[in-house]
Amino acid sequence: MSLEVKDVLVVRGSFSLEADFSLQRGKVLVLLGPSGCGKTTLLRAIAGLEPIQRGEIILDGARIDTLPTEKRHIGFVFQDLALFEQMRVRDNIGYSLKVRHEDKKQIQEKTTFLARRFKIEHLLNRYPSELSGGERQRVAFARALASDPALMLLDEPLSALDAPLRREMRRFIRLQLAEGHLTAIHVTHDVEEAVDLADEIIVMREGTMVGRGTIEQLEQRPGSGWLARFMNLGLVLPVTKIVAGEASNTLEVETSAGMVTSVPRRAGLETPSLSKGKLCLYVPLVAADIRESHRGRGIQARIIRKVRSASNVDKLVLVIAGIENYYFEFPLGDRRTDIYQEGEDVEISIKADLCQLLPEEPSVFGGAGRRASE
Amino acid sequence: MSLFLYIALCFIIVFSLSPLAAFLNVALGHVRTSGAAFSSFLAQVPVSTILRSLKFTVLQSLVSTALAVAIGLPGAWLAAKFRFVGRKALLALAAVPFCFPPILVILAFILYYGREGLLSSIISLFFGPRRQYHGFLYSFWGLTMVHAFYNFPIAVHQISALWIRIPETQKEAAKTLGAGSLRAFRIGTLPWLLPGIAQASGLIFLYCFFSFTTVLVFGGRSGATIEVEIYHALHYQSNYALALILSIVETLCALGGILILTRARGRTQRTMRDFGRTSELRSPKGIQRLFIVIYGVFIVFFFVGPLLSIAIEAFRVPSPVGRATKFGLENFERLVKGFQAPLLGAILSTVRLSGLAAAFATIAGIIASLALFFAERKNSHSILPKLIEVFQWLPMAISSAIFAYGWLFLSSDRVVSSALVAAQAVVAWPFVSRALYASLRAIDPQVREAAKTLGASPLRAFMTIELRAILPSIAAAAAFAFSITAGDVNVPLMLGMGEVETLPLLLYRLTAAYRFNEACAAGLVLGLMTGLVFLLKEKVIDVA
């Protein structure tokens, strides 16, 4: 095990953050969540830049939460990169080696090696202000990696880049992390970025960890309607009524979309009750299909936008009858795209046996709450 | 390190307060030693003098400020919106109040606007012989005009710095919703601009409120400010009680001004931080171009003209009536070779005393800014940062005469030069401290954190990142301190002109003796000295 964050509590004014997870060596963990959920705070706490009120942080078997930042042996790439503007690129990259009193020759060799690896060799004598956005990113990565850290912490380093460069840098980071067998935690609020980079994802909300796993695990068991909607894992419909089904292992569920369906009871779980809070019906993407509206038993929806991307990943943006302020993005996959027009009514059919009843609000590690090591 | 800084800070506080305590001791000494009633102390304080000087000080400051802002506002708009030849020069004029000592500007105005001045010659061409023009300098309006022209570049610089960051989008949004140009400006620009105007006004008001030399020279007929009354009480009457009470009144008024200024500054800084980037300058068209030309001519004629006249007069050799005007170096030669040859001695005194004062001020400023920075980083709500901030405002709220006399009373043998150095250092260190503190605050905290994540200890992170980043600012602040102390005439004039003669004092003496051409020669040397140092500072800041 490379990193263990045990029962950590961080309090900052009225905001509190609780975290408990572990991460295997060489894996990339992505902390995903909306702005203000505590992703950066958690990253800073691991780095020692934010004091923790409780808990332990263990890196490669040694407890580090009692150490000052400079002794934790981590690499940190900041959101605004925090390059030393008064130093040349060469001195930026070699800084961590210099403070560790490495000899000059070694510093030079390592700096040149990293510069070559990051394709910034020609920039070594420039100042950061003379670099482009992508070049600055590379310098920041090279600088963080120079002292061979045991853990890389990346705090939304791509957020300031435009879309094409962002994609390019995402590939580049993934490649570097994989090549170096680096253990890393990457923070983002972009689901696409998270899916692209992560071996595992932790979803955070309001200072708690509300979901954990690979993208497949999260798709199978999102744990809450909020998480499924946030990651667009499938269709999420508010439940208005639940009664026991004719078969003992099913429940009859009525949703705001007006549809009634039989959903299988999950083994080991007690019968969900509306009195305990809002529930929703989660329809994974694999359980949903779309067809022309016949006013049948399917979910009635209207196409408000047909999105065609250059990479031919087409999707429809749908509004669901009876549900306000919900825009469901339905990927068309291999389906024919020419038969769907904007403004047209369609019907979504669902495979009830794949649907799940979920609480609307997430609980800590609601559905996928298991340690990565397990 | 923190402990060392706090101990050093205690010294600075003692350094700042001890002259005040010494002055208080002397002023109240009579009451204490003789056991006389406090009423006898008050008997030395004529209320009418206080009220008269207070009224005059506030009135002239308000009028001067209003005039300065009125002159500066169009310039600020032009500099914030348009790209034109001379824009940088217009903004660079903001350096004048800081790098040209008031005595030099006074001389310039006398040469230009005085009875025998250049303006008088031009007016006489249109309105008849020059003796019919009596000049306006030695009057209330003359005084306020001098203040206005001396300080308007501050308004141009500060307001334009804010204006250029206020985006057009809000104004444009108002226009798309049907608002006319004026209404759109009132909704989309003015709310953000007002704090900037208030900040510049507050600063100019404080400068005019504490104005000494200008009032001493031009205000004689119309009245005296509190600062001049303090000088009279100390220098001619040895009435320490009156000086003390005047000083307290002055400080209370100044604190009010400082409070308004700091609030306006806070709002301005928030606006600048929120808007961040400056908007793009555009090329002027039609009437805008005409307006730029008119404004440029106005500034050159009324403001740059007087300054240029110093350079001209410094090389113009006075000749008998009827002889052709001659130009040469005779004025300089007379100052170097003539009777007493005062110029070299004055230069040496200025470099020696102001250099020392600037060095002390820089050391004190570095310590205070670091202490404030670390104290605030540790706990921004604690009393220590607030205390240091209060001390930083002291020289702006307390008469420099009190500091000067306080130090004079403290020096056992009443040595003027040591009191002068100490008093000037006390006046200058907060400027250094504020400048350095601003530089320290400007460093992104994440840069220090980055250094720590890369293995640097807090001390090493500070030495290699933060200290290195502010090194140019330290040099710039030291230069600024020298510029302030070298151009200062208040403290030397307060302490007396016999023992030490600095360049500003020489300039004052020559001006008072109507030896204007030699005064210009000395003034040119002083202007070059402070101007060069200030230029160096600006260049260093650019590099930083």
Side-chain angles (χ1 to χ4, degrees), chain B residues 141-215:
Chain B
W141 288 105
L143 170 69
T144 50
M145 283 305 287
V146 174
H147 275 159
F149 275 111
Y150 189 41
N151 291 304
F152 93 90
I154 296 176
V156 174
H157 196 271
Q158 295 214 340
I159 298 171
S160 67
L162 178 68
W163 209 333
I164 201 168
R165 284 182 165 78
I166 299 174
E168 290 282 291
T169 44
Q170 305 219 12
K171 208 169 83 177
E172 287 164 356
K175 277 186 177 174
T176 61
L177 294 167
S181 291
L182 198 66
R183 199 188 178 101
F185 173 77
R186 217 178 64 213
I187 291 170
T189 305
L190 199 59
W192 289 273
L193 196 61
L194 278 178
I197 297 174
Q199 183 193 338
S201 304
L203 199 60
I204 295 170
F205 180 87
L206 281 175
Y207 282 138
C208 297
F209 193 86
F210 279 92
S211 175
F212 171 67
T213 329
T214 317
V215 184

Side-chain angles (χ1 to χ4, degrees), chain A residues 68-88:
Chain A
T69 301
E70 61 271 20
K71 306 270 187 216
R72 296 193 182 193
H73 204 217
I74 41 129
F76 200 118
V77 182
F78 290 81
Q79 189 169 5
D80 68 357
L81 306 180
L83 294 178
F84 305 141
E85 300 290 334
Q86 74 276 28
M87 292 182 192
R88 290 177 195 278

